[in-house]
Amino acid sequence: MSTIHLELNTVESGDTALIELSGILDLGTVNKLRLALDELISHGCKSIVMDMSCVQFVDSSGIGFIARMQRKLKDQDCSLAMRNLSPQLESALRLTGMGTYFNIETAADQP
């Protein structure tokens, strides 16, 4: 379990939302993100982007959770994307073959 907390800052605009994550995403903090995503879905959000620029660490439970949420949202005609991944997270996703599975926005995709 983590000793560092996960902080979330959410900005909603119509049926889209941006969640800025700060801290670590692991077994001890993943439920906080789950609750935030569930709330956005209940508000009618169809497109959710997670800004990972201030995330210090993501373990396998965090990656697995994001994968499950992406699949769940896709089944509900919603989208989930990540942006501003750390080089370590990008490398881990690439090495595990998950890099092509996730919706990852590049700088060119961002408004």
Side-chain angles (χ1 to χ4, degrees):
M1 297 276 220
S2 67
T3 56
I4 299 176
H5 298 290
L6 179 68
E7 298 298 324
L8 305 173
N9 180 38
T10 304
V11 178
E12 293 180 62
S13 177
D15 65 352
T16 64
L18 173 67
I19 303 177
E20 298 170 333
L21 292 82
S22 178
I24 64 172
L25 183 59
D26 66 1
L27 183 61
T29 61
V30 75
N31 196 50
K32 185 172 187 174
L33 181 56
R34 178 187 332 272
L35 294 172
L37 290 172
D38 286 345
E39 184 175 339
L40 290 171
I41 295 165
S42 72
H43 289 171
C45 283
K46 293 291 184 184
S47 176
I48 302 170
V49 176
M50 297 185 302
D51 185 325
M52 308 291 279
S53 60
C54 294
V55 174
Q56 300 163 347
F57 177 77
V58 180
D59 73 0
S60 60
S61 61
I63 292 172
F65 168 75
I66 294 170
R68 287 187 304 278
M69 285 304 294
Q70 182 168 301
R71 189 170 41 252
K72 175 184 175 181
L73 290 172
K74 185 177 180 181
D75 290 345
Q76 298 177 11
D77 294 322
C78 301
S79 68
L80 179 65
M82 292 185 285
R83 70 166 60 152
N84 299 326
L85 280 64
S86 70
Q88 295 85 358
L89 180 55
E90 282 188 47
S91 178
L93 293 176
R94 188 174 54 255
L95 289 172
T96 60
M98 298 291 288
T100 57
Y101 179 79
F102 292 106
N103 295 327
I104 300 173
E105 291 186 355
T106 64
D109 298 326
Q110 299 176 27

